[in-house]
Amino acid sequence: MCSTLARARLSPARTRSKRMAEMTDLQLFNSLTRKLETFEPVHPGEARVYTCGPTVYNYPHIGNMRAYVFADVLGRTLSWKGYTLTHVINITDVGHLTDDADAGEDKMEKMAAEKAQSIWDIAKHYTEAYWADVKALNIRGPMKNGKPDASNWSIATDYIDDMLDFAKSIAPDHCYELDSGLYFDVSTVQDYGKLARAVTEEGEGRIDTVEGKRNAADFAIWRKTPPGETRQMEWDSPWGRGAPGWHLECSVMGEKLLGFPFDIHTGGIDHREIHHPNEIAQNQAFCHCGGLSEATNSGAKVWMHNNFLVERSGKMSKSAGEFLRLQLLIDKGYHPLAYRMMCLQAHYRSELEFSWEGLGAALTRLKRMVMQAERLKDAAASTPEHPKFAPLLARFDEAISDDLNTAVALTALEDALAVKKVDAGIKRAVVETMDAVLGLGLMDLSRTDLRIRPKDAEITEAEIEEALARRKAARAEKDFASSDALRDELAAKGVDVMDGDPLGWEWALEARR
Ligand code: AMP
Ligand code: ZN
């Protein structure tokens, strides 16, 4: 397989099916069946993926962004394997309560009240902040029929009429009305909660009882505005003025934009406990489907969940301690793609602990790769046909096909970068092929992009360069006293002068911690 693999992968003349036939089968872990399964698309040659997007009441933290890096690697892998990808990512601007079950306040309404701003302004501000992080992390965003569809994020409030239609169609057989809203009776579908695993803190234990609920796990399809109150976001419905329950939007957008059953549904591991089981119940009700021994009855064939990014002190949160936004990493001097690298180094199903040391190590690894890739920039990419690369491409394909094992795939890319005495155009083609999946954008980065650049540095890069030029001149004249004094001056401003650095860096600013 190895020798034909590389040729097949990059030759546009090959048909898609031929190309797929020559690649390793893609194995993905399905949270619903708890098994690794060979990916077989619902529609031949196509892949349709739905990713639960952010609730835009606050900035995303880097843990949230791990979920989108994972979904991006999945999408890139499907594209690379030759499937025509349609990838829907939604923006939740309504309905998500402070508790994933039906307790607490609406996150958006709460933040709008705290900030004394309109919900629409809050949603716009934080949606744009999320998009900035998406861009900085090389996340492709929504895709339609194999092409980037960057402007086409699916915004929940654009689908209110569809949510009402969906709710009307499931209400007679599956819902009941209380003073507070329309509720889904989970006993009306088979195998409710099959996806969930935790029944303690993250799961049922968190569900507060709403008076009159038939089952503790029943959830709101429509939340009525309490008498005498007005909400900023509310719409008329057969059950009174109010707003949709959070779970409804994903069922509705999934069905409308991808059709049931679609291929893959993704989200963070917390969604496996409440949000996705509830989405599945709604989907079963909508399509009059039976139990979940048939995975497709859930609305999707495969349900995938990334594990959490955690802090040493525990769960990542937007309220406790230092709020780890991507912008904070950037302000401390780290290139955002060092964080993407950090995510790729771990398997998406493993918990990943964030530390500044770990981020620094990921940045160094990225620097080494970029320095090797820089040598290829002048060469035009040709085809990757070369016996030295065939086994590496095969190893890469096997790793990524093994439930997206990016950690091993990265080592194949590093080994490809290290191959000596080969035509630069061939090597560039191999590197670009692998990087199309990993999304580091190696050929677009330069070593100076990756310099540590703390926002509050006391010195500019031009000033550093100027001081170093003076130091060089002093050394040329054997004036070591001046040279040392310049070095000390720079050190006092956080600049490490790196004479004889093996990576060829002349200086580095210290990152802020
Ligand atoms: P939210 O904006 O709260 O709806 O979350 C957006 C996405 O981030 C969801 O897929 C969550 O499951 C996921 N998520 C939340 N916290 C973390 C974390 N610490 N690590 C990884 N993913 C997370
Ligand atoms: Zn969702």
Side-chain angles (χ1 to χ4, degrees):
M1 181 185 82
C2 298
S3 60
T4 52
L5 180 84
R7 204 177 318 128
R9 186 170 294 126
L10 281 183
S11 164
R14 296 263 174 153
T15 64
R16 186 171 288 122
S17 57
K18 175 88 174 160
R19 175 172 154 175
M20 281 182 211
E22 290 179 357
M23 292 176 112
T24 308
D25 284 343
L26 177 60
Q27 302 275 315
L28 299 173
F29 186 82
N30 189 347
S31 303
L32 189 58
T33 60
R34 291 137 163 85
K35 282 200 295 248
L36 274 176
E37 291 173 4
T38 302
F39 178 69
E40 275 162 22
V42 174
H43 306 272
E46 270 191 61
R48 300 187 188 183
V49 180
Y50 187 97
T51 291
C52 283
T55 308
V56 285
Y57 72 106
N58 201 340
Y59 295 107
H61 57 53
I62 53 172
N64 300 131
M65 296 315 294
R66 185 183 187 198
Y68 305 110
V69 169
F70 148 65
D72 183 56
V73 171
L74 172 67
R76 285 168 176 270
T77 300
L78 291 161
S79 299
W80 187 69
K81 292 268 180 193
Y83 297 105
T84 303
L85 176 68
T86 295
H87 193 168
V88 171
I89 311 175
N90 75 283
I91 301 285
T92 297
D93 58 353
V94 65
H96 196 169
L97 302 193
T98 46
D99 188 295
D100 280 0
D102 289 314
E105 298 167 73
D106 185 304
K107 289 187 179 190
M108 301 291 304
E109 296 269 355
K110 185 165 177 259
M111 186 55 108
E114 270 171 34
K115 297 226 162 188
Q117 282 178 354
S118 88
I119 287 198
W120 305 100
D121 288 345
I122 294 275
K124 180 170 183 291
H125 178 76
Y126 293 114
T127 302
E128 283 170 2
Y130 166 70
W131 285 338
D133 286 2
V134 161
K135 188 159 180 268
L137 289 169
N138 282 351
I139 293 167
R140 292 194 306 190
M143 302 279 293
K144 196 165 184 189
N145 297 326
K147 298 209 173 59
D149 195 20
S151 59
N152 208 2
W153 296 82
S154 306
I155 297 179
T157 47
D158 289 345
Y159 290 85
I160 298 290
D161 287 344
D162 301 292
M163 290 193 225
L164 286 168
D165 288 345
F166 190 111
K168 279 183 222 161
S169 91
I170 63 171
D173 292 337
H174 298 276
C175 302
Y176 57 93
E177 209 174 328
L178 297 177
D179 288 345
S180 54
L182 182 74
Y183 286 83
F184 190 97
D185 179 342
V186 298
S187 70
T188 62
V189 291
Q190 287 176 49
D191 303 328
Y192 173 76
K194 184 178 177 199
L195 182 73
R197 294 197 212 173
V199 282
T200 52
E201 207 197 337
E202 290 294 313
E204 287 174 20
R206 275 206 310 173
I207 299 177
D208 277 7
T209 36
V210 171
E211 207 165 328
K213 267 208 231 178
R214 292 180 189 165
N215 312 284
D218 290 354
F219 56 90
I221 292 285
W222 191 262
R223 291 176 301 116
K224 293 187 206 175
T225 306
E229 275 183 32
T230 35
R231 288 182 180 146
Q232 286 197 41
M233 278 184 171
E234 54 180 11
W235 295 265
D236 287 325
S237 86
W239 314 284
R241 219 166 150 70
W246 171 41
H247 316 295
L248 188 58
E249 63 178 73
C250 291
S251 282
V252 167
M253 290 184 274
E255 193 278 327
K256 175 136 183 148
L257 302 170
L258 300 174
F260 289 151
F262 54 86
D263 294 299
I264 306 174
H265 196 308
T266 83
I269 200 162
D270 52 335
H271 286 352
R272 200 182 59 186
E273 310 307 325
I274 298 174
H275 181 48
H276 289 172
N278 291 353
E279 230 186 289
I280 288 173
Q282 294 168 157
N283 299 351
Q284 283 173 284
F286 182 80
C287 62
H288 308 288
C289 282
L292 299 175
S293 51
E294 280 293 329
T296 46
N297 286 347
S298 70
K301 229 175 157 181
V302 184
W303 293 76
M304 294 177 74
H305 297 96
N306 64 279
N307 210 325
F308 267 8
L309 180 80
V310 294
E311 290 181 75
R312 205 157 290 175
S313 54
K315 200 176 157 182
M316 187 152 295
S317 131
K318 296 184 190 190
S319 46
E322 194 172 38
F323 178 12
L324 286 171
R325 279 178 64 193
L326 192 66
Q327 190 58 46
L328 180 73
L329 275 49
I330 297 167
D331 288 348
K332 290 198 183 221
Y334 297 92
H335 195 282
L337 290 171
Y339 177 63
R340 184 173 176 111
M341 172 65 102
M342 193 175 185
C343 293
L344 296 176
Q345 290 181 152
H347 192 266
Y348 76 88
R349 282 198 286 132
S350 306
E351 204 170 77
L352 173 60
E353 186 180 296
F354 178 80
S355 70
W356 294 106
E357 295 76 15
L359 184 66
L363 178 66
T364 302
R365 190 172 184 190
L366 183 59
K367 273 180 190 168
R368 285 183 196 279
M369 293 170 92
V370 165
M371 290 177 67
Q372 284 171 306
E374 266 188 342
R375 295 185 199 131
L376 308 173
K377 278 190 174 163
D378 293 337
S382 59
T383 63
E385 280 177 67
H386 193 286
K388 281 191 179 168
F389 289 118
L392 291 174
L393 280 163
R395 194 171 104 213
F396 184 91
D397 186 28
E398 273 158 31
I400 211 71
S401 305
D402 180 14
D403 197 25
L404 312 180
N405 194 336
T406 47
V408 174
L410 266 174
T411 65
L413 173 52
E414 279 169 326
D415 288 352
L417 281 163
V419 169
K420 301 228 162 31
K421 296 192 186 119
V422 284
D423 176 83
I426 297 176
K427 189 162 164 179
R428 180 174 177 156
V430 173
V431 169
E432 287 183 341
T433 301
M434 294 181 180
D435 200 20
V437 177
L438 297 174
L440 291 167
L442 291 180
M443 298 312 299
D444 298 325
L445 284 171
S446 69
R447 62 153 83 185
T448 45
D449 291 336
L450 297 182
R451 276 204 198 282
I452 297 271
R453 287 196 163 83
K455 191 180 165 197
D456 55 358
E458 292 164 31
I459 185 165
T460 66
E461 289 179 30
E463 286 164 347
I464 298 172
E465 297 293 355
E466 190 268 331
L468 285 178
R470 279 193 282 133
R471 181 167 174 266
K472 207 169 167 188
R475 280 158 72 100
E477 293 185 1
K478 304 217 184 309
D479 177 3
F480 296 114
S482 300
S483 154
D484 288 352
L486 277 163
R487 185 192 184 106
D488 293 346
E489 259 172 50
L490 286 167
K493 291 182 177 165
V495 184
D496 184 13
V497 178
M498 300 161 80
D499 294 327
D501 174 54
L503 293 186
W505 292 85
E506 290 175 344
W507 58 268
L509 267 165
E510 283 160 20
R512 296 278 185 266
R513 295 269 162 95

